[in-house]
C-alpha cells in the first residue's frame, strides 16, 4: 500500500514535515485496507498504521487525523473526502453521523452509526471477516461464518433500537458523543431507533441539569420509560420542570449510574418486554437485548442448538449464567418442565429481582444473585447443559475452567463481542472442548457490532 504523500492534494496538510502531519486535524491521502475489530479500517502512511473510520477497503481517501503523536504506536483518523469510491459506498442516512458532511461543517460525526456509508450486504461481509480473523488469531480456528440478516430486509437497517442512550450538550440540548471524545453534539433524530423513541421529541426540551438520558421503548408497544441522570447540583424543582414537559403516558425515573439506583418520578421504574411467549419486566437500566427482533432470534438459536443435540429434554438440569432478567431462563424452564431444574445466575441486584418477578411460580427455577464464579464455586453440581450470555468482556479463563468442571454435555455461548468470544473459545480448546456449531447475527445494523451463538461441546 502506498502512502501517496507526494500526491497533488497533499498541500492541505499544512506542510510536509512529519511534526505537522502528526497534529490532530492534519490531513493525508491514504489507501484503505482491511477492516479491524472495532469499526475502523487499517491504512498505512510512511510505515505507520492508521486506524481510519468511515472508509471501505480499496478506497483512496483523504483523512483527517483525530488522534496522533510521534510516540503513538498508531494514529486514528476519519475520512473527510473520498477520491476513489468503493461500489459498496451508499449515501449515509444520518447527516450527523456522516463523516463527510460533518467534517465539511467543521465538527466530528456522532458515534453509533459508523458503518452507515456501506451497503448492508457489504457490512455483513465485513463483520464476517472480523469474526473469522478473531477466531483465527485468538482461537486458532479457520472458520467462515455468514452474518445473518435479522428482521425485515426492506428497513435499510433502521428503526431497530428499542433502547437509546443520550448525552446532554452544555446548552442543555439532547446530544450524542463523537467517537472517543468528550464532545457532545446536539441531535434532532435517531434513525436507528424505533419510531417511539423519535416521537418523544426529546430534542425539543431544555435538559439543563441532566447529564445523561436513557430511553427504553418496548417493541411490544407497552409503556416507554425515560431515565434521567441528573447532575449532582440539580434541584428537585429543575427535575420537575423537565418532567412537566415530557409526554404524560410515558414513565419517567431518575437514576444514579454510579450506584445503579432508580427513583420513580412518574409511572413505573420498569418496562414490560415480550419474548418467546413470555412477559418480562426490566427495571431501569437493566440489560435487555437492544434490537427489536433480538430476543426471539437468540432464544430460537440457543434452544435450537440445545434441543436438536438432545441436551434440553424434560427432566434435564440446566443453568442460565449472566441471566439478566431471565430472557433464556423462561424458555429453558418450559423445555425441562417441572421434573427438570434451571439455575439462573445474575450479578446485578436490580436485574436479579426482575428475574425473580418474571419467573415467579416456576418451581423448577432457582434464581441466585451473585458473581457467576462465586456461585459455581459455592454450589458444586453437574449440569446437562449451560447457557451463558456474558457482558462484552466475556466469561474469562477462571469461569471457563469452572464451566468445564461442572461436566455439561454442551454449552450455548451467546456473545456480543467476537474478540472476547474467540479468546474464551481458546480456553475451551485448551481444556479439550471444541466449537461444534456457530451462528452470527446482524443485530446491530449500521454499527460494527455483531452477535454470535456458539455450541461448545467436550471432546476432540
Amino acid at each position: 500500500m502506498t502512502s501517496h504523500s507526494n500526491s497533488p492534494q497533499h498541500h492541505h496538510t499544512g506542510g510536509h514535515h512529519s511534526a505537522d502531519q502528526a497534529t490532530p486535524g492534519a490531513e493525508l491521502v491514504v489507501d484503505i485496507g482491511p477492516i479491524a475489530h472495532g469499526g475502523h479500517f487499517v491504512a498505512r502512511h510512511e510505515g505507520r498504521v492508521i486506524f481510519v473510520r468511515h472508509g471501505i477497503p480499496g478506497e483512496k481517501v483523504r483523512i483527517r487525523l483525530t488522534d496522533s503523536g510521534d510516540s503513538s504506536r498508531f494514529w486514528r483518523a476519519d475520512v473527510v473526502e473520498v477520491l476513489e469510491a468503493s461500489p459498496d459506498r451508499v449515501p449515509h442516512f444520518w447527516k450527523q453521523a456522516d463523516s463527510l458532511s460533518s467534517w465539511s461543517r467543521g465538527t466530528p460525526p456522532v458515534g453509533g452509526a459508523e458503518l452507515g456509508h456501506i451497503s448492508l450486504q457489504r457490512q455483513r461481509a465485513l463483520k464476517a471477516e472480523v469474526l473469522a480473523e478473531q477466531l483465527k488469531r485468538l482461537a486458532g480456528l479457520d472458520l467462515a461464518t455468514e452474518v445473518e440478516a435479522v428482521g425485515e430486509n426492506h428497513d435499510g437497517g433502521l428503526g431497530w433500537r428499542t433502547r437509546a442512550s443520550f448525552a446532554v450538550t452544555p446548552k442543555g440540548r439532547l446530544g450524542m458523543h463523537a467517537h472517543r471524545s468528550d464532545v457532545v453534539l446536539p441531535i434532532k433524530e435517531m434513525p436507528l431507533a424505533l419510531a417511539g423513541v423519535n416521537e418523544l421529541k426529546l430534542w425539543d426540551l431544555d435538559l439543563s441539569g441532566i447529564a445523561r438520558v436513557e430511553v427504553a421503548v418496548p417493541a411490544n408497544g407497552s409503556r416507554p420509560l425515560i431515565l434521567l441522570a441528573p447532575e449532582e447540583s440539580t434541584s428537585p424543582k429543575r427535575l420537575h420542570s423537565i418532567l412537566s414537559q415530557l409526554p404524560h403516558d410515558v414513565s419517567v425515573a431518575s437514576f444514579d449510574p454510579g450506584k445503579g439506583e432508580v427513583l420513580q418520578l412518574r409511572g413505573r421504574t420498569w418496562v414490560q418486554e415480550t419474548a418467546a411467549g413470555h412477559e418480562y419486566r426490566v427495571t431501569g437500566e437493566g440489560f435487555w437485548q437492544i434490537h427489536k427482533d433480538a430476543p426471539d432470534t437468540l432464544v430460537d438459536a440457543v434452544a435450537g442448538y440445545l434441543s436438536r443435540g438432545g441436551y434440553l429434554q424434560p427432566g434435564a438440569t440446566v443453568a442460565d449464567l449472566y441471566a439478566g432478567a431471565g430472557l433464556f431462563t423462561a424458555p429453558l424452564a418450559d423445555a425441562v418442565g417441572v421434573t427438570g431444574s434451571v439455575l439462573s445466575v445474575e450479578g446485578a441486584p436490580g436485574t436479579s429481582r426482575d428475574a425473580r418477578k418474571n419467573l415467579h411460580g416456576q418451581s423448577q427455577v432457582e434464581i441466585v444473585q451473585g458473581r457467576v464464579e462465586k456461585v459455581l464455586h459455592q454450589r458444586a453440581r453437574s449440569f446437562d447443559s449451560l447457557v451463558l450470555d456474558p457482558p462484552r468482556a466475556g466469561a474469562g479463563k477462571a469461569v471457563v475452567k469452572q464451566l468445564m468442571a461442572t461436566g455439561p454435555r454442551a454449552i450455548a455461548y451467546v456473545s456480543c463481542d467476537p474478540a472476547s468470544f474467540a479468546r474464551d473459545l481458546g480456553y475451551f480448546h485448551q481444556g479439550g472442548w471444541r466449537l461444534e456449531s456457530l451462528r452470527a447475527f446482524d443485530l446491530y445494523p449500521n454499527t460494527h457490532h455483531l452477535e454470535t451463538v456458539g455450541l461448545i461441546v467436550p471432546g476432540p
Side-chain angles (χ1 to χ4, degrees):
M1 221 178 306
T2 54
S3 68
H4 297 283
S5 56
N6 301 322
S7 72
Q9 294 90 357
H10 201 66
H11 60 265
H12 288 277
T13 61
H16 285 252
H17 309 296
S18 61
D20 267 352
Q21 289 177 9
T23 53
E27 294 187 357
L28 304 168
V29 172
V30 297
D31 292 332
I32 300 287
I35 190 168
H37 179 49
H40 40 248
F41 300 85
V42 179
R44 285 187 167 79
H45 177 74
E46 292 173 0
R48 189 186 300 265
V49 167
I50 309 179
F51 286 145
V52 179
R53 290 169 79 80
H54 313 287
I56 306 177
E59 291 189 326
K60 185 186 296 293
V61 295
R62 185 190 317 288
I63 57 171
R64 176 192 176 98
L65 296 178
T66 54
D67 193 352
S68 57
D70 279 340
S71 59
S72 309
R73 267 191 323 125
F74 52 79
W75 292 346
R76 294 178 183 276
D78 283 356
V79 172
V80 292
E81 186 188 352
V82 181
L83 305 174
E84 291 172 22
S86 159
D88 295 310
R89 183 170 279 272
V90 296
H92 205 297
F93 54 84
W94 187 9
K95 199 172 164 191
Q96 285 160 302
D98 177 25
S99 186
L100 305 179
S101 70
S102 295
W103 282 117
S104 73
R105 296 191 305 275
T107 60
V110 298
E114 62 278 1
L115 300 187
H117 61 289
I118 308 176
S119 73
L120 282 171
Q121 196 178 353
R122 183 70 191 274
Q123 285 184 37
R124 291 193 283 268
L126 289 166
K127 292 179 194 191
E129 280 175 40
V130 169
L131 177 58
E133 194 253 337
Q134 297 295 315
L135 288 171
K136 176 80 177 145
R137 199 165 60 83
L138 298 168
L141 205 60
D142 270 311
L143 183 66
T145 311
E146 180 205 353
V147 175
E148 304 173 37
V150 172
E152 308 91 16
N153 276 330
H154 60 260
D155 58 12
L158 307 179
W160 50 267
R161 291 191 76 114
T162 61
R163 280 159 173 67
S165 185
F166 301 102
V168 177
T169 71
K171 290 182 174 168
R173 311 314 290 186
L174 193 76
M176 287 177 70
H177 283 277
H179 178 62
R180 292 173 62 87
S181 166
D182 295 332
V183 175
V184 178
L185 302 155
I187 60 161
K188 287 273 189 238
E189 56 172 342
M190 197 341 163
L192 296 181
L194 259 61
V197 173
N198 286 285
E199 284 159 10
L200 295 169
K201 296 219 177 335
L202 297 175
W203 28 79
D204 291 345
L205 308 185
D206 175 2
L207 294 165
S208 305
I210 303 296
R212 236 174 84 197
V213 181
E214 302 272 341
V215 181
V217 175
N220 59 18
S222 66
R223 191 173 186 175
L225 171 65
I226 296 173
L227 292 171
L228 304 171
E231 308 274 9
E232 273 177 37
S233 57
T234 302
S235 67
K237 189 176 169 210
R238 176 75 201 118
L239 207 52
H240 280 279
S241 131
I242 293 168
L243 184 63
S244 66
Q245 302 173 67
L246 294 169
H248 292 296
D249 52 350
V250 171
S251 296
V252 188
S254 70
F255 77 111
D256 178 335
K259 297 184 186 148
E261 292 170 351
V262 182
L263 298 168
Q264 173 193 34
L265 296 175
R266 182 176 73 217
R268 314 191 286 213
T269 55
W270 47 274
V271 290
Q272 181 97 10
E273 294 283 1
T274 311
H278 289 267
E279 299 291 318
Y280 301 82
R281 68 180 271 173
V282 183
T283 299
E285 274 195 297
F287 178 76
W288 187 256
Q289 287 289 342
I290 293 171
H291 190 297
K292 60 185 171 33
D293 300 311
D296 284 336
T297 300
L298 294 174
V299 167
D300 284 352
V302 165
Y305 272 162
L306 296 180
S307 303
R308 277 197 303 278
Y311 310 116
L312 191 60
Q313 293 136 319
T317 303
V318 299
D320 181 15
L321 308 176
Y322 312 95
L327 170 62
F328 297 111
T329 309
L332 290 174
D334 292 344
V336 302
V338 287
T339 57
S341 73
V342 185
L343 172 67
S344 183
V345 183
E346 166 57 39
T351 309
S352 190
R353 279 196 297 275
D354 285 344
R356 212 158 246 127
K357 284 248 173 10
N358 296 334
L359 293 143
H360 162 76
Q362 298 263 42
S363 59
Q364 70 271 42
V365 177
E366 181 189 1
I367 290 167
V368 180
Q369 189 244 313
R371 290 170 61 116
V372 166
E373 50 272 47
K374 206 169 163 190
V375 173
L376 289 178
H377 183 68
Q378 288 164 348
R379 298 156 186 260
R381 57 168 93 183
S382 61
F383 297 99
D384 293 301
S385 59
L386 303 174
V387 175
L388 66 148
D389 183 7
R392 194 161 294 283
K397 195 171 195 171
V399 170
V400 168
K401 276 187 154 162
Q402 283 180 298
L403 297 179
M404 294 188 290
T406 65
R409 291 162 53 224
I411 294 174
Y413 187 145
V414 181
S415 164
C416 62
D417 183 81
S420 60
F421 173 69
R423 183 207 61 206
D424 284 351
L425 198 52
Y427 300 144
F428 277 111
H429 284 169
Q430 287 163 24
W433 288 53
R434 65 185 164 82
L435 181 65
E436 165 90 358
S437 213
L438 181 65
R439 290 180 74 184
F441 300 100
D442 194 16
L443 292 180
Y444 310 88
N446 294 305
T447 81
H448 71 275
H449 299 288
L450 73 152
E451 194 93 6
T452 54
V453 179
L455 182 67
I456 303 169
V457 296

